[in-house]
Amino acid sequence: GAVVSQHPSWVICKSGTSVKIECRSLDFQATTMFWYRQFPKQSLMLMATSNEGSKATYEQGVEKDKFLINHASLTLSTLTVTSAHPEDSSFYICSAPENLAVSYNEQFFGPGTRLTVL
Amino acid sequence: DQQVKQNSPSLSVQEGRISILNCDYTNSMFDYFLWYKKYPAEGPTFLISISSIKDKNEDGRFTVFLNKSAKHLSLHIVPSQPGDSAVYFCAAQQTGANNLFFGTGTRLTVIP
C-alpha cells in the first residue's frame, strides 16, 4: 500500500512556543490530506482537511488560528501548533487517500507525532 | 457526540480461538465501514472494509459482518495469533465525504 510519513515522531516543547509537524505522501500524490488528533483512551478525531493549493477546512471546535495548516505541494502538508499549551499535548496523525476518484477508499495513515507541551 | 462506538475497551483471547470485536454506529447515512489495526506509536493500518450493500466480507482470517438494521458491525479473527495483539479501530464513512469517523478502539491481546 501507499506510504505516508510524518516528522517528527516525537516532540517536547515549552508552553507558548510553536511546533511544526510534517506529513508526506512518499509514493503517491495527495491533493487532500487529513489531520487527526487522539487523546489518551479516546478515538481519533478529525481536526481538519488539508487541500493542496487552497485553504484547509476545519472541523467544528478546532481553532484555525491555532492549528495552521499548509498544503504547499501534492506530497506535503504541514500542521503548525501555534503558542502551544499543555492541553495541546496529544497524538497527531495525518492520513491521505490514495485515489480520491474512487468513492470509497482506504486512507493511509502516517505513524503519528506525539506532542508534549511542558 | 460519538457516532461510532466500540463499547469493549479490551479483549483477551487464547491463541487459536476466535476473536470477535464489535462496533456500533448511530448515523444511518454511513455506508462504508473499515477496520484499522494500530500498534503503539504507529498510525493505523487498514485491515478490511465492507460496503453497506453487503453483509459480509472475508479476507483470509478476517471477516467483517454488517447488520444494517441494528447499526452494528463486527470483526472476526480466526484463528487468533499473538501477532494480532493490537488496538483495533472501526471507522465509518459516508458517500461523498472522505473523512472517517472512528470508534474509541478495542485492545486485543492474544495469549500464546
Side-chain angles (χ1 to χ4, degrees), chain A residues 34 36 38 41-44 46 91 93 100 104-107 109-112, chain B residues 2 31-32 36 38 41-44 46 89 93 95 98-100 102-104:
Chain A
F34 301 97
Y36 292 84
Q38 183 185 23
K41 297 185 179 180
Q42 295 188 24
S43 64
L44 290 165
L46 180 67
F91 192 57
I93 306 179
L100 273 178
Y104 302 112
N105 54 79
E106 59 190 79
Q107 291 184 21
F109 284 82
Chain B
Q2 194 76 25
D31 50 11
Y32 195 65
Y36 283 83
K38 184 180 181 299
E42 294 183 12
F46 172 76
F89 290 94
Q93 195 173 26
T95 303
N98 282 297
N99 55 311
L100 296 171
F102 283 86
T104 50

PDB file of all heavy atoms in Angstrom, chain A residues 34 36 38 41-44 46 91 93 100 104-107 109-112, chain B residues 2 31-32 36 38 41-44 46 89 93 95 98-100 102-104:
ATOM      1  N   PHE A  34      -5.647  14.552   5.645  1.00  0.00           N
ATOM      2  CA  PHE A  34      -6.462  14.771   6.837  1.00  0.00           C
ATOM      3  C   PHE A  34      -5.567  14.790   8.078  1.00  0.00           C
ATOM      4  O   PHE A  34      -4.622  14.019   8.183  1.00  0.00           O
ATOM      5  CB  PHE A  34      -7.507  13.660   6.986  1.00  0.00           C
ATOM      6  CG  PHE A  34      -8.440  13.560   5.815  1.00  0.00           C
ATOM      7  CD1 PHE A  34      -8.209  12.649   4.806  1.00  0.00           C
ATOM      8  CD2 PHE A  34      -9.551  14.382   5.724  1.00  0.00           C
ATOM      9  CE1 PHE A  34      -9.058  12.553   3.716  1.00  0.00           C
ATOM     10  CE2 PHE A  34     -10.411  14.301   4.638  1.00  0.00           C
ATOM     11  CZ  PHE A  34     -10.165  13.387   3.637  1.00  0.00           C
ATOM     12  N   TYR A  36      -5.687  14.300  12.159  1.00  0.00           N
ATOM     13  CA  TYR A  36      -6.457  13.782  13.285  1.00  0.00           C
ATOM     14  C   TYR A  36      -5.680  14.030  14.576  1.00  0.00           C
ATOM     15  O   TYR A  36      -4.457  14.193  14.580  1.00  0.00           O
ATOM     16  CB  TYR A  36      -6.685  12.269  13.142  1.00  0.00           C
ATOM     17  CG  TYR A  36      -7.590  11.857  12.013  1.00  0.00           C
ATOM     18  CD1 TYR A  36      -7.092  11.701  10.722  1.00  0.00           C
ATOM     19  CD2 TYR A  36      -8.930  11.571  12.230  1.00  0.00           C
ATOM     20  CE1 TYR A  36      -7.915  11.295   9.685  1.00  0.00           C
ATOM     21  CE2 TYR A  36      -9.764  11.160  11.201  1.00  0.00           C
ATOM     22  CZ  TYR A  36      -9.245  11.024   9.924  1.00  0.00           C
ATOM     23  OH  TYR A  36     -10.054  10.629   8.901  1.00  0.00           O
ATOM     24  N   GLN A  38      -5.559  12.409  18.656  1.00  0.00           N
ATOM     25  CA  GLN A  38      -6.043  11.369  19.554  1.00  0.00           C
ATOM     26  C   GLN A  38      -5.559  11.645  20.964  1.00  0.00           C
ATOM     27  O   GLN A  38      -4.351  11.652  21.223  1.00  0.00           O
ATOM     28  CB  GLN A  38      -5.563   9.987  19.103  1.00  0.00           C
ATOM     29  CG  GLN A  38      -6.112   8.859  19.962  1.00  0.00           C
ATOM     30  CD  GLN A  38      -5.537   7.502  19.601  1.00  0.00           C
ATOM     31  OE1 GLN A  38      -4.459   7.400  19.035  1.00  0.00           O
ATOM     32  NE2 GLN A  38      -6.254   6.450  19.930  1.00  0.00           N
ATOM     33  N   LYS A  41      -6.944   7.181  25.445  1.00  0.00           N
ATOM     34  CA  LYS A  41      -8.157   6.386  25.620  1.00  0.00           C
ATOM     35  C   LYS A  41      -9.356   6.974  24.876  1.00  0.00           C
ATOM     36  O   LYS A  41     -10.501   6.680  25.221  1.00  0.00           O
ATOM     37  CB  LYS A  41      -8.478   6.213  27.106  1.00  0.00           C
ATOM     38  CG  LYS A  41      -7.404   5.449  27.862  1.00  0.00           C
ATOM     39  CD  LYS A  41      -7.794   5.175  29.290  1.00  0.00           C
ATOM     40  CE  LYS A  41      -6.694   4.396  29.994  1.00  0.00           C
ATOM     41  NZ  LYS A  41      -7.031   4.093  31.397  1.00  0.00           N
ATOM     42  N   GLN A  42      -9.085   7.789  23.877  1.00  0.00           N
ATOM     43  CA  GLN A  42     -10.166   8.319  23.058  1.00  0.00           C
ATOM     44  C   GLN A  42      -9.928   7.954  21.599  1.00  0.00           C
ATOM     45  O   GLN A  42      -8.879   7.437  21.229  1.00  0.00           O
ATOM     46  CB  GLN A  42     -10.259   9.837  23.236  1.00  0.00           C
ATOM     47  CG  GLN A  42     -10.655  10.265  24.631  1.00  0.00           C
ATOM     48  CD  GLN A  42     -10.916  11.755  24.715  1.00  0.00           C
ATOM     49  OE1 GLN A  42     -11.234  12.400  23.718  1.00  0.00           O
ATOM     50  NE2 GLN A  42     -10.793  12.304  25.920  1.00  0.00           N
ATOM     51  N   SER A  43     -10.935   8.199  20.786  1.00  0.00           N
ATOM     52  CA  SER A  43     -10.811   7.848  19.378  1.00  0.00           C
ATOM     53  C   SER A  43     -10.062   8.935  18.623  1.00  0.00           C
ATOM     54  O   SER A  43      -9.854  10.039  19.119  1.00  0.00           O
ATOM     55  CB  SER A  43     -12.182   7.632  18.759  1.00  0.00           C
ATOM     56  OG  SER A  43     -12.910   8.849  18.776  1.00  0.00           O
ATOM     57  N   LEU A  44      -9.669   8.581  17.431  1.00  0.00           N
ATOM     58  CA  LEU A  44      -9.104   9.578  16.527  1.00  0.00           C
ATOM     59  C   LEU A  44     -10.194  10.565  16.146  1.00  0.00           C
ATOM     60  O   LEU A  44     -11.276  10.177  15.734  1.00  0.00           O
ATOM     61  CB  LEU A  44      -8.595   8.903  15.254  1.00  0.00           C
ATOM     62  CG  LEU A  44      -7.361   8.022  15.394  1.00  0.00           C
ATOM     63  CD1 LEU A  44      -7.206   7.152  14.157  1.00  0.00           C
ATOM     64  CD2 LEU A  44      -6.128   8.877  15.581  1.00  0.00           C
ATOM     65  N   LEU A  46     -11.116  13.840  13.773  1.00  0.00           N
ATOM     66  CA  LEU A  46     -10.693  14.662  12.644  1.00  0.00           C
ATOM     67  C   LEU A  46     -10.628  16.122  13.064  1.00  0.00           C
ATOM     68  O   LEU A  46     -11.581  16.667  13.626  1.00  0.00           O
ATOM     69  CB  LEU A  46     -11.676  14.495  11.479  1.00  0.00           C
ATOM     70  CG  LEU A  46     -11.358  15.296  10.224  1.00  0.00           C
ATOM     71  CD1 LEU A  46     -10.065  14.776   9.571  1.00  0.00           C
ATOM     72  CD2 LEU A  46     -12.518  15.210   9.230  1.00  0.00           C
ATOM     73  N   PHE A  91      -1.591  13.115  20.488  1.00  0.00           N
ATOM     74  CA  PHE A  91      -1.004  12.341  19.396  1.00  0.00           C
ATOM     75  C   PHE A  91      -1.655  12.836  18.114  1.00  0.00           C
ATOM     76  O   PHE A  91      -2.874  12.743  17.962  1.00  0.00           O
ATOM     77  CB  PHE A  91      -1.285  10.855  19.625  1.00  0.00           C
ATOM     78  CG  PHE A  91      -0.521   9.917  18.746  1.00  0.00           C
ATOM     79  CD1 PHE A  91       0.869   9.940  18.716  1.00  0.00           C
ATOM     80  CD2 PHE A  91      -1.174   8.993  17.949  1.00  0.00           C
ATOM     81  CE1 PHE A  91       1.589   9.071  17.914  1.00  0.00           C
ATOM     82  CE2 PHE A  91      -0.454   8.110  17.140  1.00  0.00           C
ATOM     83  CZ  PHE A  91       0.918   8.153  17.125  1.00  0.00           C
ATOM     84  N   ILE A  93      -2.022  12.667  14.048  1.00  0.00           N
ATOM     85  CA  ILE A  93      -1.823  11.738  12.934  1.00  0.00           C
ATOM     86  C   ILE A  93      -2.402  12.335  11.667  1.00  0.00           C
ATOM     87  O   ILE A  93      -3.493  12.909  11.689  1.00  0.00           O
ATOM     88  CB  ILE A  93      -2.519  10.384  13.186  1.00  0.00           C
ATOM     89  CG1 ILE A  93      -2.084   9.785  14.516  1.00  0.00           C
ATOM     90  CG2 ILE A  93      -2.203   9.393  12.074  1.00  0.00           C
ATOM     91  CD1 ILE A  93      -2.770   8.459  14.821  1.00  0.00           C
ATOM     92  N   LEU A 100      -8.670   9.807  -4.755  1.00  0.00           N
ATOM     93  CA  LEU A 100      -9.930  10.459  -4.415  1.00  0.00           C
ATOM     94  C   LEU A 100     -11.013  10.178  -5.442  1.00  0.00           C
ATOM     95  O   LEU A 100     -12.178  10.381  -5.183  1.00  0.00           O
ATOM     96  CB  LEU A 100      -9.727  11.961  -4.283  1.00  0.00           C
ATOM     97  CG  LEU A 100      -9.289  12.475  -2.928  1.00  0.00           C
ATOM     98  CD1 LEU A 100      -9.097  13.981  -2.981  1.00  0.00           C
ATOM     99  CD2 LEU A 100     -10.279  12.106  -1.845  1.00  0.00           C
ATOM    100  N   TYR A 104     -15.122   5.269  -2.428  1.00  0.00           N
ATOM    101  CA  TYR A 104     -14.683   4.823  -1.121  1.00  0.00           C
ATOM    102  C   TYR A 104     -13.229   4.424  -1.227  1.00  0.00           C
ATOM    103  O   TYR A 104     -12.832   3.762  -2.169  1.00  0.00           O
ATOM    104  CB  TYR A 104     -15.502   3.618  -0.663  1.00  0.00           C
ATOM    105  CG  TYR A 104     -16.982   3.899  -0.608  1.00  0.00           C
ATOM    106  CD1 TYR A 104     -17.843   3.281  -1.492  1.00  0.00           C
ATOM    107  CD2 TYR A 104     -17.497   4.789   0.313  1.00  0.00           C
ATOM    108  CE1 TYR A 104     -19.194   3.539  -1.452  1.00  0.00           C
ATOM    109  CE2 TYR A 104     -18.846   5.051   0.349  1.00  0.00           C
ATOM    110  CZ  TYR A 104     -19.689   4.432  -0.522  1.00  0.00           C
ATOM    111  OH  TYR A 104     -21.032   4.684  -0.478  1.00  0.00           O
ATOM    112  N   ASN A 105     -12.457   4.841  -0.343  1.00  0.00           N
ATOM    113  CA  ASN A 105     -11.052   4.478  -0.419  1.00  0.00           C
ATOM    114  C   ASN A 105     -10.468   4.427   0.966  1.00  0.00           C
ATOM    115  O   ASN A 105     -10.848   5.172   1.854  1.00  0.00           O
ATOM    116  CB  ASN A 105     -10.287   5.487  -1.279  1.00  0.00           C
ATOM    117  CG  ASN A 105     -10.504   6.893  -0.798  1.00  0.00           C
ATOM    118  OD1 ASN A 105      -9.889   7.310   0.170  1.00  0.00           O
ATOM    119  ND2 ASN A 105     -11.368   7.635  -1.450  1.00  0.00           N
ATOM    120  N   GLU A 106      -9.569   3.487   1.118  1.00  0.00           N
ATOM    121  CA  GLU A 106      -8.901   3.401   2.399  1.00  0.00           C
ATOM    122  C   GLU A 106      -7.915   4.542   2.512  1.00  0.00           C
ATOM    123  O   GLU A 106      -7.303   4.954   1.542  1.00  0.00           O
ATOM    124  CB  GLU A 106      -8.165   2.066   2.503  1.00  0.00           C
ATOM    125  CG  GLU A 106      -7.128   1.865   1.418  1.00  0.00           C
ATOM    126  CD  GLU A 106      -6.577   0.460   1.390  1.00  0.00           C
ATOM    127  OE1 GLU A 106      -7.258  -0.422   0.855  1.00  0.00           O
ATOM    128  OE2 GLU A 106      -5.472   0.266   1.907  1.00  0.00           O
ATOM    129  N   GLN A 107      -7.796   5.062   3.679  1.00  0.00           N
ATOM    130  CA  GLN A 107      -6.839   6.127   3.913  1.00  0.00           C
ATOM    131  C   GLN A 107      -5.563   5.520   4.456  1.00  0.00           C
ATOM    132  O   GLN A 107      -5.583   4.555   5.204  1.00  0.00           O
ATOM    133  CB  GLN A 107      -7.406   7.135   4.899  1.00  0.00           C
ATOM    134  CG  GLN A 107      -8.562   7.933   4.331  1.00  0.00           C
ATOM    135  CD  GLN A 107      -9.041   8.997   5.276  1.00  0.00           C
ATOM    136  OE1 GLN A 107      -8.324   9.418   6.171  1.00  0.00           O
ATOM    137  NE2 GLN A 107     -10.272   9.451   5.078  1.00  0.00           N
ATOM    138  N   PHE A 109      -2.353   6.094   6.742  1.00  0.00           N
ATOM    139  CA  PHE A 109      -2.007   6.940   7.871  1.00  0.00           C
ATOM    140  C   PHE A 109      -0.503   7.038   8.065  1.00  0.00           C
ATOM    141  O   PHE A 109       0.238   6.087   7.822  1.00  0.00           O
ATOM    142  CB  PHE A 109      -2.629   6.383   9.153  1.00  0.00           C
ATOM    143  CG  PHE A 109      -4.099   6.652   9.263  1.00  0.00           C
ATOM    144  CD1 PHE A 109      -5.013   5.834   8.616  1.00  0.00           C
ATOM    145  CD2 PHE A 109      -4.571   7.726   9.990  1.00  0.00           C
ATOM    146  CE1 PHE A 109      -6.370   6.080   8.700  1.00  0.00           C
ATOM    147  CE2 PHE A 109      -5.931   7.982  10.083  1.00  0.00           C
ATOM    148  CZ  PHE A 109      -6.825   7.158   9.433  1.00  0.00           C
ATOM    149  N   GLY A 110      -0.080   8.196   8.524  1.00  0.00           N
ATOM    150  CA  GLY A 110       1.291   8.349   8.951  1.00  0.00           C
ATOM    151  C   GLY A 110       1.470   7.680  10.307  1.00  0.00           C
ATOM    152  O   GLY A 110       0.498   7.253  10.942  1.00  0.00           O
ATOM    153  N   PRO A 111       2.698   7.622  10.786  1.00  0.00           N
ATOM    154  CA  PRO A 111       2.970   6.963  12.068  1.00  0.00           C
ATOM    155  C   PRO A 111       2.590   7.803  13.281  1.00  0.00           C
ATOM    156  O   PRO A 111       2.594   7.313  14.400  1.00  0.00           O
ATOM    157  CB  PRO A 111       4.477   6.716  12.021  1.00  0.00           C
ATOM    158  CG  PRO A 111       4.986   7.778  11.111  1.00  0.00           C
ATOM    159  CD  PRO A 111       3.926   8.012  10.084  1.00  0.00           C
ATOM    160  N   GLY A 112       2.254   9.068  13.043  1.00  0.00           N
ATOM    161  CA  GLY A 112       1.828   9.914  14.156  1.00  0.00           C
ATOM    162  C   GLY A 112       2.965  10.700  14.776  1.00  0.00           C
ATOM    163  O   GLY A 112       4.153  10.360  14.636  1.00  0.00           O
TER     164      GLY A 112
ATOM    165  N   GLN B   2     -20.366  10.872  19.915  1.00  0.00           N
ATOM    166  CA  GLN B   2     -19.645   9.756  19.325  1.00  0.00           C
ATOM    167  C   GLN B   2     -20.577   8.999  18.394  1.00  0.00           C
ATOM    168  O   GLN B   2     -21.505   8.331  18.845  1.00  0.00           O
ATOM    169  CB  GLN B   2     -19.117   8.852  20.450  1.00  0.00           C
ATOM    170  CG  GLN B   2     -18.097   7.849  20.042  1.00  0.00           C
ATOM    171  CD  GLN B   2     -16.711   8.455  19.808  1.00  0.00           C
ATOM    172  OE1 GLN B   2     -16.376   9.488  20.349  1.00  0.00           O
ATOM    173  NE2 GLN B   2     -15.936   7.794  18.991  1.00  0.00           N
ATOM    174  N   ASP B  31     -22.264   4.520   4.935  1.00  0.00           N
ATOM    175  CA  ASP B  31     -22.487   3.405   4.027  1.00  0.00           C
ATOM    176  C   ASP B  31     -21.199   2.669   3.658  1.00  0.00           C
ATOM    177  O   ASP B  31     -21.185   1.868   2.723  1.00  0.00           O
ATOM    178  CB  ASP B  31     -23.234   3.859   2.776  1.00  0.00           C
ATOM    179  CG  ASP B  31     -22.605   5.085   2.132  1.00  0.00           C
ATOM    180  OD1 ASP B  31     -21.484   5.455   2.530  1.00  0.00           O
ATOM    181  OD2 ASP B  31     -23.232   5.664   1.244  1.00  0.00           O
ATOM    182  N   TYR B  32     -20.146   2.966   4.383  1.00  0.00           N
ATOM    183  CA  TYR B  32     -18.905   2.225   4.162  1.00  0.00           C
ATOM    184  C   TYR B  32     -18.186   2.149   5.495  1.00  0.00           C
ATOM    185  O   TYR B  32     -18.090   3.150   6.210  1.00  0.00           O
ATOM    186  CB  TYR B  32     -18.037   2.947   3.130  1.00  0.00           C
ATOM    187  CG  TYR B  32     -16.911   2.110   2.574  1.00  0.00           C
ATOM    188  CD1 TYR B  32     -17.163   0.978   1.803  1.00  0.00           C
ATOM    189  CD2 TYR B  32     -15.582   2.465   2.787  1.00  0.00           C
ATOM    190  CE1 TYR B  32     -16.133   0.222   1.280  1.00  0.00           C
ATOM    191  CE2 TYR B  32     -14.547   1.708   2.273  1.00  0.00           C
ATOM    192  CZ  TYR B  32     -14.829   0.593   1.519  1.00  0.00           C
ATOM    193  OH  TYR B  32     -13.818  -0.157   0.992  1.00  0.00           O
ATOM    194  N   TYR B  36      -9.346  -0.818  11.203  1.00  0.00           N
ATOM    195  CA  TYR B  36      -7.930  -0.498  11.202  1.00  0.00           C
ATOM    196  C   TYR B  36      -7.285  -1.153  12.421  1.00  0.00           C
ATOM    197  O   TYR B  36      -7.894  -1.300  13.474  1.00  0.00           O
ATOM    198  CB  TYR B  36      -7.703   1.018  11.280  1.00  0.00           C
ATOM    199  CG  TYR B  36      -7.926   1.752   9.980  1.00  0.00           C
ATOM    200  CD1 TYR B  36      -9.198   2.133   9.582  1.00  0.00           C
ATOM    201  CD2 TYR B  36      -6.849   2.062   9.152  1.00  0.00           C
ATOM    202  CE1 TYR B  36      -9.394   2.820   8.394  1.00  0.00           C
ATOM    203  CE2 TYR B  36      -7.041   2.744   7.961  1.00  0.00           C
ATOM    204  CZ  TYR B  36      -8.318   3.119   7.596  1.00  0.00           C
ATOM    205  OH  TYR B  36      -8.507   3.791   6.410  1.00  0.00           O
ATOM    206  N   LYS B  38      -3.877  -0.934  14.944  1.00  0.00           N
ATOM    207  CA  LYS B  38      -2.883   0.049  15.337  1.00  0.00           C
ATOM    208  C   LYS B  38      -1.962  -0.508  16.416  1.00  0.00           C
ATOM    209  O   LYS B  38      -2.426  -0.990  17.450  1.00  0.00           O
ATOM    210  CB  LYS B  38      -3.573   1.327  15.851  1.00  0.00           C
ATOM    211  CG  LYS B  38      -2.613   2.453  16.193  1.00  0.00           C
ATOM    212  CD  LYS B  38      -3.362   3.672  16.684  1.00  0.00           C
ATOM    213  CE  LYS B  38      -2.409   4.824  17.002  1.00  0.00           C
ATOM    214  NZ  LYS B  38      -1.437   4.495  18.054  1.00  0.00           N
ATOM    215  N   ALA B  41       2.551   3.752  19.066  1.00  0.00           N
ATOM    216  CA  ALA B  41       3.436   4.727  18.411  1.00  0.00           C
ATOM    217  C   ALA B  41       3.450   4.598  16.895  1.00  0.00           C
ATOM    218  O   ALA B  41       4.383   5.064  16.236  1.00  0.00           O
ATOM    219  CB  ALA B  41       4.856   4.626  18.957  1.00  0.00           C
ATOM    220  N   GLU B  42       2.444   3.972  16.346  1.00  0.00           N
ATOM    221  CA  GLU B  42       2.324   3.891  14.891  1.00  0.00           C
ATOM    222  C   GLU B  42       0.938   4.370  14.476  1.00  0.00           C
ATOM    223  O   GLU B  42       0.002   4.381  15.281  1.00  0.00           O
ATOM    224  CB  GLU B  42       2.516   2.454  14.398  1.00  0.00           C
ATOM    225  CG  GLU B  42       3.913   1.905  14.601  1.00  0.00           C
ATOM    226  CD  GLU B  42       4.054   0.503  14.025  1.00  0.00           C
ATOM    227  OE1 GLU B  42       3.155   0.061  13.280  1.00  0.00           O
ATOM    228  OE2 GLU B  42       5.064  -0.149  14.310  1.00  0.00           O
ATOM    229  N   GLY B  43       0.800   4.751  13.220  1.00  0.00           N
ATOM    230  CA  GLY B  43      -0.505   5.100  12.714  1.00  0.00           C
ATOM    231  C   GLY B  43      -1.320   3.854  12.420  1.00  0.00           C
ATOM    232  O   GLY B  43      -0.779   2.758  12.286  1.00  0.00           O
ATOM    233  N   PRO B  44      -2.626   3.979  12.315  1.00  0.00           N
ATOM    234  CA  PRO B  44      -3.473   2.833  11.996  1.00  0.00           C
ATOM    235  C   PRO B  44      -3.182   2.291  10.597  1.00  0.00           C
ATOM    236  O   PRO B  44      -2.873   3.057   9.687  1.00  0.00           O
ATOM    237  CB  PRO B  44      -4.891   3.419  12.043  1.00  0.00           C
ATOM    238  CG  PRO B  44      -4.775   4.698  12.791  1.00  0.00           C
ATOM    239  CD  PRO B  44      -3.408   5.212  12.518  1.00  0.00           C
ATOM    240  N   PHE B  46      -4.810  -0.140   7.510  1.00  0.00           N
ATOM    241  CA  PHE B  46      -6.076  -0.678   7.028  1.00  0.00           C
ATOM    242  C   PHE B  46      -6.074  -2.194   7.086  1.00  0.00           C
ATOM    243  O   PHE B  46      -5.098  -2.855   6.741  1.00  0.00           O
ATOM    244  CB  PHE B  46      -6.307  -0.199   5.589  1.00  0.00           C
ATOM    245  CG  PHE B  46      -7.476  -0.848   4.916  1.00  0.00           C
ATOM    246  CD1 PHE B  46      -8.770  -0.483   5.226  1.00  0.00           C
ATOM    247  CD2 PHE B  46      -7.277  -1.836   3.968  1.00  0.00           C
ATOM    248  CE1 PHE B  46      -9.849  -1.088   4.608  1.00  0.00           C
ATOM    249  CE2 PHE B  46      -8.343  -2.453   3.340  1.00  0.00           C
ATOM    250  CZ  PHE B  46      -9.630  -2.076   3.658  1.00  0.00           C
ATOM    251  N   PHE B  89      -9.522  -0.362  15.547  1.00  0.00           N
ATOM    252  CA  PHE B  89     -10.493   0.721  15.419  1.00  0.00           C
ATOM    253  C   PHE B  89     -11.458   0.397  14.287  1.00  0.00           C
ATOM    254  O   PHE B  89     -11.041  -0.007  13.204  1.00  0.00           O
ATOM    255  CB  PHE B  89      -9.799   2.047  15.072  1.00  0.00           C
ATOM    256  CG  PHE B  89      -8.987   2.621  16.192  1.00  0.00           C
ATOM    257  CD1 PHE B  89      -7.626   2.363  16.283  1.00  0.00           C
ATOM    258  CD2 PHE B  89      -9.577   3.439  17.135  1.00  0.00           C
ATOM    259  CE1 PHE B  89      -6.870   2.906  17.309  1.00  0.00           C
ATOM    260  CE2 PHE B  89      -8.823   3.989  18.163  1.00  0.00           C
ATOM    261  CZ  PHE B  89      -7.472   3.722  18.249  1.00  0.00           C
ATOM    262  N   GLN B  93     -17.786   5.787   7.090  1.00  0.00           N
ATOM    263  CA  GLN B  93     -17.668   6.829   6.075  1.00  0.00           C
ATOM    264  C   GLN B  93     -19.018   6.984   5.380  1.00  0.00           C
ATOM    265  O   GLN B  93     -19.817   6.047   5.314  1.00  0.00           O
ATOM    266  CB  GLN B  93     -16.590   6.403   5.073  1.00  0.00           C
ATOM    267  CG  GLN B  93     -16.075   7.466   4.160  1.00  0.00           C
ATOM    268  CD  GLN B  93     -14.890   6.947   3.346  1.00  0.00           C
ATOM    269  OE1 GLN B  93     -14.760   5.750   3.115  1.00  0.00           O
ATOM    270  NE2 GLN B  93     -14.027   7.840   2.925  1.00  0.00           N
ATOM    271  N   THR B  95     -21.030   8.423   1.791  1.00  0.00           N
ATOM    272  CA  THR B  95     -20.846   8.751   0.378  1.00  0.00           C
ATOM    273  C   THR B  95     -20.590  10.230   0.186  1.00  0.00           C
ATOM    274  O   THR B  95     -21.314  11.067   0.735  1.00  0.00           O
ATOM    275  CB  THR B  95     -22.099   8.356  -0.421  1.00  0.00           C
ATOM    276  OG1 THR B  95     -22.355   6.980  -0.235  1.00  0.00           O
ATOM    277  CG2 THR B  95     -21.906   8.633  -1.901  1.00  0.00           C
ATOM    278  N   ASN B  98     -14.845  12.219   2.508  1.00  0.00           N
ATOM    279  CA  ASN B  98     -13.638  11.416   2.635  1.00  0.00           C
ATOM    280  C   ASN B  98     -13.202  11.218   4.072  1.00  0.00           C
ATOM    281  O   ASN B  98     -12.367  10.380   4.354  1.00  0.00           O
ATOM    282  CB  ASN B  98     -12.498  12.056   1.853  1.00  0.00           C
ATOM    283  CG  ASN B  98     -12.628  11.774   0.368  1.00  0.00           C
ATOM    284  OD1 ASN B  98     -12.577  10.631  -0.055  1.00  0.00           O
ATOM    285  ND2 ASN B  98     -12.812  12.805  -0.419  1.00  0.00           N
ATOM    286  N   ASN B  99     -13.738  12.035   4.977  1.00  0.00           N
ATOM    287  CA  ASN B  99     -13.288  11.881   6.358  1.00  0.00           C
ATOM    288  C   ASN B  99     -13.930  10.665   7.001  1.00  0.00           C
ATOM    289  O   ASN B  99     -15.022  10.240   6.638  1.00  0.00           O
ATOM    290  CB  ASN B  99     -13.562  13.139   7.169  1.00  0.00           C
ATOM    291  CG  ASN B  99     -15.018  13.544   7.126  1.00  0.00           C
ATOM    292  OD1 ASN B  99     -15.602  13.608   6.053  1.00  0.00           O
ATOM    293  ND2 ASN B  99     -15.597  13.802   8.272  1.00  0.00           N
ATOM    294  N   LEU B 100     -13.197  10.103   7.933  1.00  0.00           N
ATOM    295  CA  LEU B 100     -13.629   8.903   8.631  1.00  0.00           C
ATOM    296  C   LEU B 100     -14.026   9.238  10.059  1.00  0.00           C
ATOM    297  O   LEU B 100     -13.418  10.095  10.694  1.00  0.00           O
ATOM    298  CB  LEU B 100     -12.498   7.874   8.664  1.00  0.00           C
ATOM    299  CG  LEU B 100     -12.037   7.303   7.327  1.00  0.00           C
ATOM    300  CD1 LEU B 100     -10.779   6.466   7.523  1.00  0.00           C
ATOM    301  CD2 LEU B 100     -13.130   6.476   6.694  1.00  0.00           C
ATOM    302  N   PHE B 102     -14.174   7.551  13.684  1.00  0.00           N
ATOM    303  CA  PHE B 102     -13.575   6.412  14.349  1.00  0.00           C
ATOM    304  C   PHE B 102     -14.255   6.081  15.664  1.00  0.00           C
ATOM    305  O   PHE B 102     -14.761   6.967  16.371  1.00  0.00           O
ATOM    306  CB  PHE B 102     -12.095   6.680  14.638  1.00  0.00           C
ATOM    307  CG  PHE B 102     -11.195   6.555  13.445  1.00  0.00           C
ATOM    308  CD1 PHE B 102     -11.000   7.628  12.592  1.00  0.00           C
ATOM    309  CD2 PHE B 102     -10.554   5.361  13.169  1.00  0.00           C
ATOM    310  CE1 PHE B 102     -10.170   7.514  11.485  1.00  0.00           C
ATOM    311  CE2 PHE B 102      -9.721   5.232  12.073  1.00  0.00           C
ATOM    312  CZ  PHE B 102      -9.529   6.308  11.225  1.00  0.00           C
ATOM    313  N   GLY B 103     -14.226   4.802  16.020  1.00  0.00           N
ATOM    314  CA  GLY B 103     -14.577   4.383  17.359  1.00  0.00           C
ATOM    315  C   GLY B 103     -13.389   4.595  18.278  1.00  0.00           C
ATOM    316  O   GLY B 103     -12.319   5.032  17.856  1.00  0.00           O
ATOM    317  N   THR B 104     -13.566   4.283  19.543  1.00  0.00           N
ATOM    318  CA  THR B 104     -12.519   4.521  20.540  1.00  0.00           C
ATOM    319  C   THR B 104     -11.493   3.397  20.603  1.00  0.00           C
ATOM    320  O   THR B 104     -10.501   3.503  21.294  1.00  0.00           O
ATOM    321  CB  THR B 104     -13.123   4.712  21.931  1.00  0.00           C
ATOM    322  OG1 THR B 104     -14.036   3.645  22.188  1.00  0.00           O
ATOM    323  CG2 THR B 104     -13.864   6.037  22.030  1.00  0.00           C
TER     324      THR B 104
END
